[in-house]
Amino acid sequence: MSIVKELWDGNIKPRERNPFINPQFSELSKHISKNREKLAELLPDEGKDILNKLIIDYSEMNAIYESEGFASGFRLGAKLMLETMQDA
């Protein structure tokens, strides 16, 4: 089956790739969680609300960044394939 059909049919899910395979990501995630908990303990309730909103906003921004990065990489790969086919 073609990769385009697999992608269209939903059999390939780029968003579900597992970043936790990378030990650097896993370690950084633990570090962030630990520091977030420490900071939350120091803040009054209003500060905790602001921290939670900041984390949500950052997560949304990161999702947009990831989506744009995927699209950019996909376009670059397509351009490389087109150039390869033209030179053949």
Side-chain angles (χ1 to χ4, degrees):
M1 183 176 288
S2 80
I3 193 163
V4 173
K5 178 132 176 52
E6 288 284 313
L7 187 60
W8 175 258
D9 289 343
N11 297 327
I12 299 173
K13 300 174 180 119
R15 292 188 72 183
E16 292 181 4
R17 72 188 191 294
N18 189 353
F20 300 109
I21 293 171
N22 181 330
Q24 199 174 15
F25 181 92
S26 182
E27 193 63 35
L28 184 57
S29 181
K30 289 176 190 175
H31 185 72
I32 289 169
S33 293
K34 187 172 79 173
N35 284 330
R36 183 178 59 206
E37 289 171 11
K38 285 181 181 179
L39 181 57
E41 290 174 5
L42 298 172
L43 294 172
D45 287 343
E46 183 180 348
K48 289 177 186 176
D49 290 341
I50 294 170
L51 175 61
N52 287 332
K53 288 175 185 175
L54 177 67
I55 291 168
I56 290 168
D57 289 346
Y58 183 76
S59 294
E60 289 177 13
M61 184 180 71
N62 194 41
I64 293 168
Y65 182 77
E66 183 178 325
S67 173
E68 290 297 318
F70 173 79
S72 176
F74 191 90
R75 284 190 296 272
L76 178 60
K79 287 177 184 177
L80 286 169
M81 291 305 297
L82 284 172
E83 185 174 316
T84 301
M85 299 302 282
Q86 289 172 352
D87 291 343

